Amino acid sequence: MSELRTYDERLDLARELDRSDELARFRDEFHIPQQVNGDPVLYLTGHSLGLQPKRTASYVQEVLDQWQRLGVRGHFEGDYPWSPYHEFLTEPMANLVGALPHEVVMMNSLTVNLHLMLATFYKPTKRRHKIVIEEGAFPSDYQAVISQIAWHGYSPDESLIKVKPPAGSDTIDNEALRLLIEEQGHEIAVIMLPGVQYYTGQKLWMNDITTLARQRDIAVGFDLAHAAGNVQMSLHDWNVDFAVWCSYKYLNSGPGSVGGCFVHERHARNVDLPRLAGWWGHDKATRFLMKNEFQAIPTAEGWQLSNPPILSLAAIRASLDLFTEAGGMEPLCHKSGLLTSYLQAQLESQLGDRVNVITPEVDRGCQLSLQIDSGDIQGRQVHDRLLESGVETDWREPNVIRAAPAPLYNSFEDCFHFVEKLKEALEVQES
Ligand SMILES: *Cc1c(COP(=O)(O)O)cnc(C)c1O
């Protein structure tokens, strides 16, 4: 039926869906970038850099004002003193990833946190020295894991297991992963996988993977770069050992902003766990006694090294307040599911097999990864044409356009216009 509808009828339907969307008002909380002609950009790249909340400027300005007025006393005075500033982020952040507050800390950036976690959780022995990663892992994750293996004197050739999608598929097969863990589990020290894969948008079965791994004493860590603020998780209940993420993608806290780290309480409480230490992870009561021996804080904070960049934490606080006001991940994921299904249905009805969605229908967040299969036009060229027409998606080598309607600021009408622009880029004639 839907392909028989006219442009106007389909546009009306999208607007109708927006009118019944209880989260639609949050779009106004964001600065939408503008095209040269002053029109708003059709922004579908929240998976790479989330948009700036309008309130962020005032949260950051508050820190600048405090510094002006109080100088060094800003560490301990003012409404939001800097010394405990990271603590103001802990609970709202923990809620978004399904963790207890003492299991979460905002610090450093993703790759740094990954190294800090591997320093604690990767303890290779002659019998058990392997790390499982997926073949398509993000380069930084590869580089971190490979360098950790080499750092411990092992060889990546022997100690790295890469999970591949089955032939002809782009996505990880959960059954194959289960078999791998069952067969080689006794040699595996750490499993390091994404929560949501950056290229395909596939959400992995974090709960099942963790259960299987824990039965075999394997430490499990997830890279949540594309999962935090995008999908619902229960890191605590699932018993995940550790997780790391960044806050500038779905968490809208600005380029290069501070990342997040989860350490399950059964480890976080253990102050004897080996780690790379610094004074900000030291017991707060005695931090300023200037003693050299390290006494870890018995929470995830015990992995902090340095006092954090407060200007960046202020931007995270602004963004987390919005997530809290929106009601957290449950309503956001509900909208996200509707939005992304709508987008996929429009792609199918309007473009048929010219566009191939490689993202699974069930296991995903808001991102769709599109492969263009349309005669002579290359995917990269289609992406560039979209950009010229005011649509911000991104191109990922070798062959994917990523488009992610973010439920905090994207609308059904955005998805509608995206498909129309894509049609134009593909030069599909209206039938
Ligand atoms: C975005 C992203 C990163 C970025 O790492 P930084 O340390 O924040 O620069 C790492 N891994 C994955 C999977 C990502 O998607």
Side-chain angles (χ1 to χ4, degrees), residues 109-111 138 140-141 198 223 225-226 246 248-249:
S109 45
L110 188 156
T111 309
F138 194 81
S140 195
D141 300 38
Y198 80 96
D223 177 333
H226 287 263
C246 48
Y248 48 81
K249 291 174 179 166

Side-chain angles (χ1 to χ4, degrees), residues 93-151:
M93 188 66 250
N95 288 339
L96 294 188
V97 295
L100 302 176
H102 57 270
E103 294 173 320
V104 165
V105 61
M106 299 306 287
M107 61 179 188
N108 312 309
S109 45
L110 188 156
T111 309
V112 175
N113 289 338
L114 180 52
H115 275 298
L116 292 178
M117 290 295 98
L118 289 171
T120 292
F121 291 98
Y122 182 49
K123 290 177 291 239
T125 62
K126 281 222 155 49
R127 280 192 53 240
R128 231 185 224 266
H129 50 86
K130 298 193 176 175
I131 301 185
V132 173
I133 191 170
E134 40 119 15
E135 187 176 49
F138 194 81
S140 195
D141 300 38
Y142 254 109
Q143 290 151 10
V145 164
I146 286 176
S147 62
Q148 283 276 342
I149 290 171
W151 167 256

Side-chain angles (χ1 to χ4, degrees), residues 1 10 24 26 39 43 75 110 182 219 250 268 292 313 322 399 405 416:
M1 275 300 286
R10 287 186 294 111
F26 283 94
D39 288 346
Y43 197 83
H75 282 301
L110 188 156
E182 281 179 356
Y250 295 105
N292 292 343
L313 296 190
L322 274 177
N399 194 21
F416 170 83

Side-chain angles (χ1 to χ4, degrees), residues 35-36 39 52 58 86 101 169 202 207 290 312 357 378 394:
Q35 304 178 47
V36 191
D39 288 346
Q52 183 185 135
S58 68
H86 60 281
S169 166
Q202 178 185 18
N207 189 9
M290 298 318 201
S312 166
V357 177
Q378 302 297 309
D394 70 6

Side-chain angles (χ1 to χ4, degrees), residues 13 137 171 177 244 271 374 402:
L13 174 66
T171 47
L177 186 54
V244 294
V271 295
S374 191
R402 299 186 299 178

Side-chain angles (χ1 to χ4, degrees), residues 145-165:
V145 164
I146 286 176
S147 62
Q148 283 276 342
I149 290 171
W151 167 256
H152 283 280
Y154 289 81
S155 144
D157 288 341
E158 283 162 25
S159 300
L160 191 66
I161 302 179
K162 298 179 214 167
V163 184
K164 297 183 185 44

